[in-house]
């Protein structure tokens, strides 16, 4: 089955630790995205990538890092510099876009990160 | 800076009633998406509206786009409990570099 997988589903982090959230897709999509959602709020874009080995900062990139070494994978690292990382993290992907446009984004099941 | 505003943010309605959710945005766009999110779950794509005057319908939900007014609506007809969820609109603008800007979401509760 084609789709987007995220792991783990739940993640607990101690203060000062870096953690990496996994996102894999087998939809052959070129573009991938990471969003953060806080309780009762909308989605905020952290990073996005339109092509392998390239990515751009979103609105709240501070304290996060990404890599895009393979088309199907877009891992997100939450670093110790992110002071309030407890949130629901969603990964999405979409087909290759024309310049400046995006196609329907399909979302993974999410990772719920809690800082202890 | 693109702003996307939804209203209402919270909506409680009775089964069988009709209602409309509004999505206003601040910059010219001809591409708008509606998503649904169940509590604790991910987002599910509902509609994509690609031009002025576009109308899409699926079951009890109908979405429309007026690019001149910078407004999209999501109309709910004869609501049922299964429609209880949070609904998000998301806007794509040409200068955004292949990204969406989401509204805050409308939390819909349909009561028996």
């Amino acid at each position: 089955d084609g789709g987007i997988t995220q792991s783990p589903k739940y993640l607990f982090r101690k203060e000062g630790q870096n953690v990496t959230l996994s996102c894999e897709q087998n939809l052959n999509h070129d573009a991938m995205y990471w969003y953060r959602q806080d309780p009762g709020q909308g989605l905020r874009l952290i990073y996005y990538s339109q092509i392998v080995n390239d990515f751009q900062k979103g609105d709240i990139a501070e304290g996060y890092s990404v890599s895009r070494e393979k088309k199907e994978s877009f891992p997100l690292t939450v670093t110790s510099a992110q002071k309030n990382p407890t949130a629901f993290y969603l990964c999405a992907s979409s087909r290759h876009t024309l310049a400046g446009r995006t196609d329907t984004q399909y979302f993974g099941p999410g990772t719920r990160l809690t800082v202890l | 800076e693109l702003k996307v505003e939804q209203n209402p943010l919270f909506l409680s309605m009775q089964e069988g009633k009709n209602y409309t959710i509004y999505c206003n945005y601040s910059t010219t766009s001809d591409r708008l998406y509606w998503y649904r999110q169940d509590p604790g779950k991910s987002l599910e794509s509902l509609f994509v509206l690609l031009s002025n005057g576009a109308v899409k319908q699926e079951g009890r939900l109908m979405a429309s786009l007026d690019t001149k007014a910078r407004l999209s609506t999501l109309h709910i007809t004869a609501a049922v409990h299964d429609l209880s969820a949070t609904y998000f609109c998301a806007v794509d603008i040409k200068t955004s570099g292949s990204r969406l800007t989401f509204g805050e979401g409308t939390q819909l509760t349909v009561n028996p």
Side-chain angles (χ1 to χ4, degrees):
Chain A
D1 288 337
I4 304 172
T5 58
Q6 291 185 241
S7 62
K9 185 174 182 180
Y10 298 96
L11 184 58
F12 298 91
R13 189 195 93 167
K14 294 181 180 179
E15 286 193 13
Q17 279 184 336
N18 293 353
V19 291
T20 297
L21 282 58
S22 170
C23 178
E24 304 277 333
Q25 55 96 2
N26 61 5
L27 299 169
N28 200 32
H29 286 172
D30 288 283
M32 297 186 74
Y33 311 80
W34 274 107
Y35 294 90
R36 169 181 172 143
Q37 186 178 33
D38 293 284
Q41 298 189 29
L43 278 67
R44 293 185 289 169
L45 183 65
I46 305 173
Y47 270 97
Y48 61 108
S49 168
Q50 298 185 57
I51 196 169
V52 174
N53 292 323
D54 188 43
F55 49 83
Q56 291 78 40
K57 293 182 179 180
D59 298 320
I60 55 166
E62 185 175 352
Y64 300 98
S65 66
V66 293
S67 63
R68 187 83 188 279
E69 297 177 0
K70 298 187 294 183
K71 186 176 182 178
E72 59 271 22
S73 179
F74 192 40
L76 173 73
T77 297
V78 184
T79 74
S80 57
Q82 171 51 238
K83 296 307 179 187
N84 184 23
T86 295
F88 189 43
Y89 290 86
L90 287 159
C91 178
S93 71
S94 67
R95 290 186 303 180
H96 190 73
T97 65
L98 300 174
R101 309 313 303 272
T102 189
D103 204 344
T104 299
Q105 293 184 18
Y106 296 93
F107 286 80
T111 293
R112 199 165 297 277
L113 173 63
T114 303
V115 174
L116 302 174
Chain B
E1 179 189 350
L2 172 61
K3 294 188 187 300
V4 181
E5 296 182 342
Q6 290 182 234
N7 72 83
L9 298 181
F10 299 93
L11 176 56
S12 180
M13 57 191 296
Q14 286 186 316
E15 282 191 328
K17 299 293 187 182
N18 303 333
Y19 209 84
T20 300
I21 298 171
Y22 298 89
C23 174
N24 291 88
Y25 51 95
S26 59
T27 304
T28 300
S29 171
D30 63 353
R31 188 171 294 210
L32 188 141
Y33 300 83
W34 283 97
Y35 287 89
R36 167 182 172 144
Q37 184 179 37
D38 292 302
K41 302 295 185 182
S42 187
L43 273 70
E44 173 191 356
S45 176
L46 292 174
F47 302 110
V48 53
L49 303 167
L50 297 177
S51 62
N52 186 41
V55 177
K56 294 280 186 72
Q57 183 165 3
E58 179 74 32
R60 302 174 187 274
L61 300 178
M62 183 174 71
S64 66
L65 178 62
D66 181 344
T67 58
K68 293 179 181 177
R70 299 179 186 172
L71 171 69
S72 179
T73 62
L74 181 65
H75 186 73
I76 303 154
T77 302
V80 293
H81 180 70
D82 285 352
L83 290 179
S84 297
T86 299
Y87 294 86
F88 292 94
C89 63
V91 177
D92 165 32
I93 58 174
K94 287 184 178 180
T95 56
S96 68
S98 183
R99 52 169 290 178
L100 297 178
T101 300
F102 282 79
E104 295 174 283
T106 296
Q107 185 176 318
L108 170 65
T109 303
V110 181
N111 302 305

